[in-house]
Amino acid sequence: LALAATRAGAVEAPAADAHEAPPPPATCQVPDSLLSADGKLPAVRAALAARQPLRVIVLGTASSMGAGVSAPQKAYPERLQVVLSRRIPVKVSVLNKSKLHDTAAEMLRRFPNEIVAEHPDLVIWQTGTTDAVRQVETKEFDDSLSAGIEMLAEKHIDIILMDPQYSPHTTTLINFQPYLQDMELIAQSHDVMLFSRNAVMEHWVEEGDFGADEGSRAEQLHHADMIHDCIAELLGWMIEVAGTPTDRPATATVH
């Protein structure tokens, strides 16, 4: 399937200097308003500065386990290891600790033994989907997020929050909005990075680039594979830029 080669408004990039992270592939780029690498990843930065191996854990639910993709290695956690290994000059390991149907509170209970005990430099915490499906009270959701962020901060572990994926069909059945809003507010209040997967995927659907709900089964799998690959590309760019900052403003589009 043919994909759009560039985004509206994108033009040829100037030559990058030696310290500038290359942008994501053109097929994956999104407006600057949807993706920022201006946050801080001090543990990642320290590992890269010391040329130490970088350990990343992905904690999520079904989508982070590869639900809907054509093969397990097509899921974004597995793709992220490939992307980071290409972008970052140290050994990278990405460990997927995702589990079906966990709420944020259930994930939080796993933190001491399954997350902190692994001594990662970075945790990518994808949550909110099961909470929305079960209509968990937003206060409980917020408290779990805050407690998890604080626990990782005490151990000097970086975090990137990731919100639920976007689907036009699912959005008509489940009210994700309170959880999306709260994740943004929690990220801001704790000064941690947020990967707004929901907004990014909605943009791709609206632009007609790819939507995993559309077409034949083969087309749906192909679209899902592309979405996961692009999520990994965008995450990899965020991590590289935040881990090795420059004086230039961080944007994921080509100007």
Side-chain angles (χ1 to χ4, degrees):
L1 296 177
L3 296 175
T6 59
R7 291 285 180 266
V11 296
E12 185 177 354
D17 62 36
H19 303 289
E20 186 176 11
T27 51
C28 301
Q29 291 170 15
V30 295
D32 297 346
S33 60
L34 300 184
L35 191 71
S36 171
D38 290 335
K40 301 173 183 177
L41 297 178
V44 172
R45 188 182 308 177
L48 297 185
R51 294 292 190 266
Q52 295 295 317
L54 184 69
R55 293 176 56 81
V56 181
I57 287 180
V58 175
L59 178 65
T61 50
S63 64
S64 296
M65 297 174 68
V69 296
S70 62
Q73 64 269 26
K74 297 288 187 178
Y76 79 83
E78 284 67 26
R79 293 298 305 151
L80 180 60
Q81 174 145 348
V82 175
V83 171
L84 286 176
S85 296
R86 184 181 73 235
R87 283 184 168 272
I88 292 175
V90 299
K91 182 179 179 181
V92 177
S93 61
V94 178
L95 183 62
N96 194 346
K97 288 285 190 175
S98 301
K99 184 178 178 181
L100 288 173
H101 311 312
D102 263 7
T103 63
E106 289 166 338
M107 292 178 180
L108 179 61
R109 288 196 284 272
R110 296 166 53 203
F111 267 45
N113 295 329
E114 297 187 35
I115 307 302
V116 173
E118 293 285 347
H119 305 291
D121 301 291
L122 170 66
V123 172
I124 299 171
W125 190 4
Q126 175 261 306
T127 189
T129 304
T130 303
D131 294 85
V133 170
R134 296 185 188 175
Q135 299 181 338
V136 171
E137 290 289 337
T138 53
K139 185 180 186 307
E140 178 184 343
F141 178 69
D142 296 352
D143 289 347
S144 297
L145 285 182
S146 293
I149 292 169
E150 291 165 6
M151 186 184 303
L152 295 182
E154 289 175 1
K155 300 297 183 180
H156 306 289
I157 298 170
D158 294 338
I159 183 169
I160 297 176
L161 292 178
M162 180 188 292
D163 59 20
Q165 62 184 342
Y166 174 80
S167 159
H169 174 69
T170 307
T171 299
T172 64
L173 303 175
I174 302 169
N175 183 16
F176 290 101
Q177 203 58 39
Y179 306 92
L180 297 172
Q181 293 173 345
D182 282 13
M183 289 191 76
E184 183 175 4
L185 291 172
I186 292 290
Q188 291 174 353
S189 65
H190 288 273
D191 194 23
V192 299
M193 298 178 72
L194 171 69
F195 180 83
S196 186
R197 179 175 58 158
N198 191 274
V200 166
M201 290 179 64
E202 183 176 10
H203 170 77
W204 287 334
V205 170
E206 290 178 348
E207 290 294 308
D209 296 326
F210 31 66
D213 294 342
E214 302 171 356
S216 66
R217 177 59 177 165
E219 290 171 331
Q220 290 176 21
L221 288 173
H222 178 75
H223 287 165
D225 289 351
M226 291 299 299
I227 289 168
H228 277 251
D229 191 64
C230 279
I231 288 171
E233 291 284 359
L234 295 177
L235 281 169
W237 174 85
M238 288 176 68
I239 293 166
E240 180 182 5
V241 171
T244 53
T246 69
D247 293 334
R248 298 186 180 188
T251 61
T253 50
V254 182
H255 296 288

